[in-house]
């Protein structure tokens, strides 16, 4: 296993690499979002409000993340050009951990989709949605536990810091929103908005910590 001493706490981020990979992700995400919104606007998934649409879009982001990592597992040579790894060999070495990561990420995507498309506005009945979300939540927790067994000390530290950053972001964004709603400045968050915030800010927190630690350094 790799220890923290083997990695500098802060390295210079390769901003060119970050910009290219972010740009590719943004284009793919935009195409996925357009397709999803076309499906929602067709009415095939029910009359969804803004909260449900945003939850579905964040679910799409998680699903695309899982798909990209899964693609890297199937084709390490091509995947190494998209993912934040040194080369295809490093991606192959990370397979045991990334398999669980893909499953956990896909589980969170499914949770968001089910919540967004659940009754009364969506086609999925409430009891079915509750049962499915409960199963998927347990699965996501289990995959996180199994993933940790294949994670080195550096990545464990990044995970803890990312979770901490997500917590503070949720306090600031969610708490600030709730306070402004309490004072009558705007409408308060819907219950589904909180679930969406937990998921989206977790991704953002991990992204921020990854940049802060200089881990996006590949060419």
């Amino acid at each position: 296993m790799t220890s923290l001493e083997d990695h500098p706490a802060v390295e210079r981020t390769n901003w060119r690499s970050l910009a290219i990979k972010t740009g590719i992700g943004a284009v793919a995400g935009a195409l996925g979002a357009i397709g999803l919104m076309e499906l929602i606007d067709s009415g095939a998934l029910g009359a969804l409000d803004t909260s449900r649409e945003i939850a579905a879009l964040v679910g799409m982001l998680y699903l695309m993340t899982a798909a990209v990592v899964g693609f890297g597992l199937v084709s390490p040579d091509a995947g190494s050009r998209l993912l934040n790894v040194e080369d295809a060999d490093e991606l192959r070495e990370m397979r045991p951990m990334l398999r669980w990561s893909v499953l956990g990420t896909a589980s969170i995507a499914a949770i968001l989709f089910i919540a967004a498309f659940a009754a009364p506005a969506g086609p999925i009945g409430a009891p079915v949605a509750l049962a499915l979300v409960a199963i998927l939540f347990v699965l996501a927790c289990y995959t996180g536990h199994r993933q940790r067994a294949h994670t080195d000390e550096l990545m464990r530290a990044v995970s803890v810091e990312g979770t901490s950053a997500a917590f503070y972001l949720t306090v600031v964004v969610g708490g600030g929103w709730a306070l402004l709603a309490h004072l009558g400045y705007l409408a308060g968050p819907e219950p589904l908005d909180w679930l969406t915030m937990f998921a989206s800010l977790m991704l953002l927190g991990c992204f921020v910590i990854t940049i802060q630690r200089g881990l996006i350094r590949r060419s």
Side-chain angles (χ1 to χ4, degrees), residues 6-210:
D6 296 327
H7 296 263
V10 178
E11 299 178 9
R12 189 177 69 174
T13 294
N14 186 329
W15 293 105
R16 179 177 177 273
S17 174
L18 174 60
I20 292 173
K21 292 174 181 178
T22 301
I24 293 172
V27 171
L31 293 175
I34 290 171
L36 179 61
M37 291 307 298
E38 293 243 342
L39 180 61
I40 290 174
D41 291 341
S42 71
L45 300 173
L48 306 185
D49 58 20
T50 302
S51 292
R52 290 172 180 266
E53 290 178 354
I54 294 174
L57 288 171
V58 175
M60 174 65 72
L61 178 59
Y62 267 86
L63 183 61
M64 293 184 69
T65 301
V68 171
V69 177
F71 172 73
L73 293 177
V74 174
S75 179
D77 291 327
S80 63
R81 298 184 179 91
L82 295 175
L83 300 172
N84 187 41
V85 293
E86 190 69 41
D87 51 32
D89 288 336
E90 183 179 356
L91 190 53
R92 292 186 184 96
E93 291 174 3
M94 296 172 67
R95 268 179 174 165
M97 182 266 288
L98 291 178
R99 286 194 189 101
W100 291 109
S101 176
V102 168
L103 185 56
T105 304
S107 297
I108 296 174
I111 288 173
L112 290 167
F113 282 133
I114 292 169
F117 304 144
I124 304 175
V128 175
L130 180 60
L132 289 175
V133 167
I135 293 170
L136 288 166
F137 180 76
V138 172
L139 178 60
C141 292
Y142 177 72
T143 58
H145 172 72
R146 292 304 303 266
Q147 181 181 343
R148 185 177 176 83
H150 301 285
T151 304
D152 61 33
E153 188 177 347
L154 172 67
M155 295 312 299
R156 287 196 193 102
V158 170
S159 178
V160 170
E161 292 173 13
T163 303
S164 178
F167 169 77
Y168 287 113
L169 285 168
T170 303
V171 170
V172 172
V173 176
W177 186 359
L179 177 61
L180 290 173
H182 174 69
L183 297 175
Y185 286 103
L186 42 76
E190 298 290 334
L192 183 57
D193 293 330
W194 286 103
L195 182 61
T196 304
M197 273 191 283
F198 293 149
S200 58
L201 294 179
M202 177 63 72
L203 278 182
L204 180 59
C206 291
F207 185 66
V208 168
I209 295 302
T210 299

